Amino acid sequence: MDWAPRELYHATLKLLMLARQDLVWIHAGVAAYGNRAHLFAGPSGQGKSTLVGALLDRGWTYFSDEIAAIDCGAGTVHPFPLAPHRRVHDGEFVLLEAVAAVRGLRKVAVECPPHAVGQRPLPLQRLCFLRYTPATDTIHEAPCTPAQAVLELLGNSLNITSNREREIAFLAQLVSRVPAVQISYPSAEVAAATVHTGAVTHPAS
């Protein structure tokens, strides 16, 4: 019966997505600073949950560490606060360059008090596509073209739709108003410090 809770979880998600087909659903973490949200997308094992947890330690507001529900026309993201988790290293040798090894790490709950959970949709300030690169010791950010951003979002899409053209049109609308970057980073702490400094230095108007 270990599979039953997970199956129920996925069935519930599908019902929510079908009920809100006006939204685009992306496999991503979301955290907000001030009155603007940042989206962090990437395949499993790229550090979304760990990065969101590190931002919460810096006083950010929690929206989600797994699913982003986006209103592309408004350029806003809705809170979808599943209980946050992050992967931890228990001391055994793990070749962290291998994404499969990262996925196999144990997950632990991240403490998130109720006042730190988002309560209403917020405008998106940046779309960040993550690349975990432990072989380097510095973080690197590169802007994405709108076409690249749409392809990245499609690669992380959770949408239940047979109308792919409509989904692409929604995403094109989103990337026309929200800047996108690709972030290559060696650790979540380094990425969180950089993202936080950028948000403090360049607050949304």
Side-chain angles (χ1 to χ4, degrees):
M1 294 299 291
D2 292 344
W3 56 267
R6 195 69 184 172
E7 287 297 314
L8 178 60
Y9 165 77
H10 284 298
T12 304
L13 283 181
K14 288 179 181 178
L15 290 174
L16 286 171
M17 293 175 187
L18 288 171
R20 292 300 306 270
Q21 295 189 57
D22 57 311
L23 301 178
V24 170
W25 301 80
I26 301 295
H27 182 214
V30 181
Y33 184 81
N35 64 347
R36 294 282 173 143
H38 289 60
L39 178 142
F40 305 99
S44 179
Q46 295 300 317
K48 298 181 295 297
S49 299
T50 306
L51 175 54
V52 168
L55 290 171
L56 296 184
D57 292 341
R58 289 167 169 77
W60 286 52
T61 300
Y62 176 64
F63 267 49
S64 178
D65 74 337
E66 186 172 359
I67 297 173
I70 305 169
D71 183 334
C72 293
T76 58
V77 61
H78 291 253
F80 202 88
L82 303 168
H85 289 74
R86 73 173 92 190
R87 289 185 169 91
V88 295
H89 188 279
D90 288 326
E92 73 279 11
F93 177 76
V94 175
L95 183 63
L96 291 179
E97 284 80 357
V99 172
V102 176
R103 290 174 178 166
L105 293 177
R106 181 172 61 92
K107 277 192 171 186
V108 299
V110 174
E111 184 176 346
C112 186
H115 66 81
V117 177
Q119 301 295 320
R120 59 185 177 84
L122 285 180
L124 278 162
Q125 184 169 354
R126 280 211 311 177
L127 308 173
C128 304
F129 303 113
L130 303 181
R131 296 292 183 272
Y132 175 56
T133 54
T136 65
D137 56 5
T138 59
I139 190 169
H140 176 70
E141 289 190 13
C144 287
T145 66
Q148 289 173 326
V150 168
L151 289 174
E152 289 275 4
L153 291 167
L154 283 173
N156 291 283
S157 172
L158 299 172
N159 295 290
I160 305 170
T161 178
S162 59
N163 191 341
R164 191 61 68 189
E165 289 184 5
R166 181 172 178 266
E167 181 181 6
I168 292 172
F170 278 168
L171 294 175
Q173 193 175 25
L174 176 68
V175 302
S176 70
R177 63 195 309 167
V178 181
V181 296
Q182 186 175 92
I183 301 178
S184 301
Y185 67 101
S187 76
E189 283 300 321
V190 170
T194 302
V195 171
H196 179 72
T197 299
V200 172
T201 307
H202 305 288
S205 57

